[in-house]
Amino acid sequence: MTRSRSSLAPSVRRRPGSVAAIAAITATWLLVLSAAAAAAPVDDQRQQATELQDQIEASDITISGVAEQLHAAEAERDDAQRIVDDADARIQQARTDVRNIRRLVRKNAVSLYHHASNDNSLGALEVGDADDLNRRNQYADTQAQHDNRLLDQLAAATDDLALRRDEAEQARAEAAARSAAIAAVKAELDAARAHQQALLDQVNGELAATVAAERARREQAARAQFSSPVSYPDVGPPNGSASQAIAWARGVIGSGYSLNPRMGPTYDCSGLTHMAWRAAGVIIPSTSGSQYAALPHVPLNAVQPGDLIFWGPNGSDHVALYTGGGMIIDASSSQGKVVERPIWGNPSGAARVV
């Protein structure tokens, strides 16, 4: 079945305002630094620490979300290229078939001509041979019509395949262009995060201690919230290999965060969860949005070890592997490595590998 060009084109889109949002965060941090330098009261420092931690988490989500869009675009580009390669192979086969049929037609024509020449004698004009000559003529006409039909069919098939190839080529070009556009956004976000980190490195003294205290408070709240999950019978228990997935993920804690390579020896968020479950013998999709779409969903208060925790609309921004007791393993862009930590920020949902 011919796929339309629109079905091949990638669905990812650049998020409007992402870079502007990071720039606004950076401007806010400049104010935070000024306030810290002015030795603000303790209550003000706590408020600043809360806002700063919110900004760090928002930056993590933004960068991770754009990275996931990039991976989706690259996957669609690669799918389009496979369609192009398949179409090229089928076109080559069709051309080979055309050559073979034409060779057969020429061979048939030569054979018929040779046979007719040999019979071109007085004996061929005898009344007794008239029926045989008529049969040969009918056969020649029938064979020629058959060969022509085959050639017409092959020509039509070649034209159709060429059209598919052109559509796929254009789809691949569009997907590659979108990948490049998203990569450009990712570069901008990385630059903003680097600037952001440079500002954070200047935060020290009492404000730094207050930020650490705020982070610890949130981690304690997360562990308390998720330590006693409720029963959720609508989805079966986690796959029996969940412990293997968790053990594998723990084995790569400390590995670097990277978008390329993203499935070892460095990882991004969805590359980590994909490889953890792959090590347990279960293949799940390779981006956070596709993982969320493919797996049965469970409420956040019913998560079990081995479940996946998602951030962003339809899981599009970030994903982590739940290990129990309010803890997750994920690849953190802000920390630059794979870490095990309490659930953070505002997850949007969870899904279960069954």
Side-chain angles (χ1 to χ4, degrees):
M1 179 177 65
T2 301
R3 296 177 61 182
S4 67
R5 183 171 54 197
S6 60
S7 69
L8 291 172
S11 58
V12 295
R13 293 182 297 275
R14 176 171 174 170
R15 294 186 179 185
S18 295
V19 177
I22 294 295
I25 289 172
T26 301
T28 301
W29 283 340
L30 290 171
L31 297 176
V32 169
L33 288 174
S34 299
V42 173
D43 286 347
D44 287 350
Q45 284 193 1
R46 288 175 181 166
Q47 179 63 30
Q48 292 165 11
T50 298
E51 293 174 356
L52 186 55
Q53 188 61 28
D54 286 343
Q55 292 161 2
I56 293 170
E57 294 177 357
S59 175
D60 248 12
I61 290 298
T62 301
I63 293 170
S64 180
V66 173
E68 291 301 292
Q69 293 180 64
L70 174 62
H71 301 327
E74 290 173 337
E76 290 180 332
R77 177 201 60 200
D78 292 344
D79 286 343
Q81 182 59 50
R82 280 190 288 271
I83 293 172
V84 171
D85 293 342
D86 178 67
D88 284 340
R90 294 170 66 184
I91 288 170
Q92 186 59 41
Q93 182 60 50
R95 287 172 177 167
T96 299
D97 291 343
V98 167
R99 287 195 297 269
N100 291 339
I101 289 296
R102 283 175 176 166
R103 190 178 299 114
L104 178 61
V105 169
R106 287 195 296 269
K107 181 180 178 181
N108 289 344
V110 169
S111 176
L112 288 169
Y113 175 79
H114 180 70
H115 188 68
S117 297
N118 289 339
D119 285 344
N120 189 14
S121 62
L122 291 176
L125 300 177
E126 295 178 359
V127 176
D129 292 334
D131 290 342
D132 180 58
L133 180 61
N134 185 51
R135 283 193 296 270
R136 287 201 302 271
N137 289 337
Q138 288 178 348
Y139 167 77
D141 290 342
T142 301
Q143 185 64 39
Q145 292 173 9
H146 174 70
D147 290 345
N148 286 335
R149 282 197 301 271
L150 284 177
L151 288 173
D152 289 344
Q153 291 170 3
L154 286 169
T158 301
D159 290 342
D160 180 60
L161 286 169
L163 177 61
R164 293 187 191 184
R165 182 188 60 186
D166 291 342
E167 290 179 345
E169 283 281 10
Q170 184 167 351
R172 183 188 61 77
E174 291 174 357
R178 293 194 180 188
S179 291
I182 294 174
V185 176
K186 175 64 177 57
E188 293 180 58
L189 289 173
D190 278 345
R193 184 168 65 85
H195 185 64
Q196 179 184 84
Q197 188 60 50
L199 294 178
L200 282 174
D201 289 342
Q202 301 177 50
V203 179
N204 50 37
E206 292 183 5
L207 182 59
T210 307
V211 170
E214 170 63 17
R215 185 164 53 249
R217 183 193 67 78
R218 297 185 183 196
E219 291 177 351
Q220 182 178 6
R223 286 194 296 269
Q225 177 182 357
F226 291 96
S227 291
S228 301
V230 301
S231 174
Y232 186 68
D234 292 351
V235 176
N239 186 288
S241 299
S243 60
Q244 293 176 248
I246 293 171
W248 183 92
R250 284 198 170 118
V252 299
I253 287 175
S255 298
Y257 175 89
S258 172
L259 302 183
N260 186 23
R262 56 182 290 257
M263 295 188 184
T266 58
Y267 302 89
D268 70 351
C269 66
S270 56
L272 175 70
T273 53
H274 173 87
M275 291 303 293
W277 272 106
R278 182 174 179 174
V282 181
I283 302 299
I284 62 175
S286 60
T287 62
S288 63
S290 58
Q291 290 171 3
Y292 185 82
L295 300 172
H297 300 167
V298 295
L300 280 166
N301 64 349
V303 290
Q304 298 287 337
D307 288 350
L308 301 183
I309 309 295
F310 295 91
W311 286 254
N314 298 316
S316 59
D317 287 349
H318 190 66
V319 61
L321 181 68
Y322 185 64
T323 60
M327 302 291 289
I328 57 172
I329 298 175
D330 68 339
S332 167
S333 64
S334 62
Q335 298 191 37
K337 59 185 177 181
V338 176
V339 296
E340 185 166 14
R341 55 178 169 170
I343 294 174
W344 56 276
N346 298 293
S348 59
R352 177 163 297 166
V353 180
V354 296

